[in-house]
Amino acid sequence: MIKFFRHIRQQLLSEGKTGKYLKYAIGEIILVVIGILIALQVNNWNEQRKDKLKETALVSQLQSDLLQTEEELTEIKEFFLSRAQAAALVSKSYWKNEMLPDTLLINFSIVGTNRRYNPILGTARSLISSGNIDFIQSDNLRKGLVNYTETMDALMKDVIRFEETYYRSAQELLNEEYDTWNLIATYLKEDMASRWPADPVNNLSPFPEEFDAPPFPVKIEDIYANLKVYVAFQKYLIAHRNTFYIYEIMEIKTREMLTLLEDEGYTF
């Protein structure tokens, strides 16, 4: 093609048609420029298509993380709500001078259990740290993602703070009062057996398969006369109640992010 255009230019020059030669040269330049612009546009379309595919993949994974986080936050909320309610029930019984009946002594036991849930932020952190967040076209989504990650990190610090300040303190108080757990064991034989199943091979269970009473029996009245036990349950209540509220805020923030995805047109 280049040789063909060169041949025409040379022919025009040899015939002395300078005016036509200049017009032809200008036309040729215009054609070349148009060709370059078309090539650039095609390349730009291809790059945009690739960026869109990349954005779709990243946001799809982000949405998956958010949906899983929302589901798991609902579950962890129920866990802490039940523990907070149990701690509140025990604490109220002190004020009303109404000792919990044997059938409700399970409330003494379950408040001592704890869990920590970390929201799924892998995709969000990767987007921000790697710079891939620039693939997301929506300014609102980019800003929302950064705010969401920072908020969740701050809330997790609160979860850890309540765990270390109140939950662990309550555990230490009750661990000093071994008779408390002996009393619980008295009335919760089946529960103890389920949490510490028999291990005939290695024989590692701390409880015998069957027992009539704990080795150091205590009356339930002794617990209600023990200030340390009362303070411990107050600390349990603070820890579980506030952790429940923190996870509830996390759940709300996660739902807001899912709503933002929909509002910005990211639906999969």
Side-chain angles (χ1 to χ4, degrees):
M1 182 63 69
I2 295 176
K3 290 182 178 180
F4 174 73
F5 287 135
R6 184 183 302 153
H7 174 72
I8 294 177
R9 290 197 305 270
Q10 290 175 350
Q11 182 178 356
L12 291 172
L13 284 174
S14 63
E15 294 176 357
K17 299 178 180 179
T18 306
K20 290 185 177 181
Y21 171 82
L22 291 175
K23 291 179 181 179
Y24 177 82
I26 293 172
E28 184 178 334
I29 292 172
I30 293 173
L31 287 175
V32 171
V33 171
I34 292 174
I36 292 173
L37 291 175
I38 292 174
L40 289 174
Q41 185 62 46
V42 170
N43 183 67
N44 187 45
W45 285 338
N46 286 333
E47 290 300 319
Q48 288 180 351
R49 182 179 62 84
K50 291 178 182 178
D51 289 349
K52 186 63 178 177
L53 290 174
K54 181 73 172 178
E55 179 190 27
T56 299
L58 292 171
V59 177
S60 177
Q61 182 58 52
L62 174 63
Q63 183 187 51
S64 177
D65 287 356
L66 291 170
L67 288 170
Q68 184 175 347
T69 297
E70 180 187 29
E71 179 180 349
E72 292 173 349
L73 282 171
T74 300
E75 178 184 349
I76 199 70
K77 272 178 49 188
E78 293 302 317
F79 174 89
F80 280 101
L81 179 60
S82 64
R83 271 65 186 169
Q85 289 172 336
L89 180 62
V90 174
S91 296
K92 290 174 183 176
S93 67
Y94 276 83
W95 287 90
K96 298 175 67 176
N97 293 322
E98 293 178 0
M99 292 182 290
L100 295 176
D102 299 349
T103 54
L104 293 181
L105 280 174
I106 184 66
N107 292 285
F108 277 101
S109 178
I110 67 171
V111 294
T113 57
N114 190 53
R115 291 168 58 187
R116 185 189 295 176
Y117 173 72
N118 291 286
I120 304 172
L121 297 172
T123 301
R125 294 191 197 282
S126 177
L127 280 168
I128 296 170
S129 62
S130 67
N132 283 338
I133 194 171
D134 293 335
F135 282 104
I136 297 178
Q137 298 300 307
S138 168
D139 290 338
N140 290 334
L141 182 55
R142 287 199 300 270
K143 293 176 183 177
L145 184 59
V146 173
N147 290 335
Y148 173 75
T149 304
E150 292 176 349
T151 300
M152 299 301 264
D153 286 341
L155 291 171
M156 274 308 303
K157 290 180 181 179
D158 286 337
V159 168
I160 295 171
R161 178 168 59 86
F162 281 111
E163 177 183 320
E164 294 179 349
T165 304
Y166 293 97
Y167 174 79
R168 295 192 185 283
S169 177
Q171 289 286 82
E172 291 171 1
L173 280 173
L174 283 190
N175 284 339
E176 295 174 3
E177 304 299 317
Y178 295 107
D179 288 346
T180 301
W181 302 120
N182 288 327
L183 175 66
I184 295 171
T186 302
Y187 294 102
L188 302 177
K189 297 176 186 177
E190 293 183 0
D191 181 62
M192 289 296 178
S194 65
R195 289 198 291 163
W196 298 93
D199 186 1
V201 177
N202 299 310
N203 194 26
L204 298 177
S205 174
F207 300 99
E209 293 185 29
E210 296 181 3
F211 60 90
D212 297 322
F216 309 101
V218 63
K219 296 180 180 180
I220 191 170
E221 290 84 353
D222 296 336
I223 287 183
Y224 281 93
N226 191 321
L227 178 61
K228 286 185 178 180
V229 176
Y230 173 75
V231 173
F233 276 88
Q234 289 291 300
K235 289 179 179 289
Y236 276 135
L237 176 57
I238 293 172
H240 294 320
R241 180 187 60 200
N242 286 286
T243 302
F244 163 75
Y245 287 133
I246 292 169
Y247 281 128
E248 187 171 52
I249 295 172
M250 287 186 179
E251 184 182 42
I252 292 172
K253 295 298 181 183
T254 301
R255 287 176 179 167
E256 288 177 352
M257 277 300 299
L258 287 167
T259 300
L260 180 59
L261 284 176
E262 295 180 2
D263 291 343
E264 294 300 310
Y266 295 97
T267 54
F268 305 98

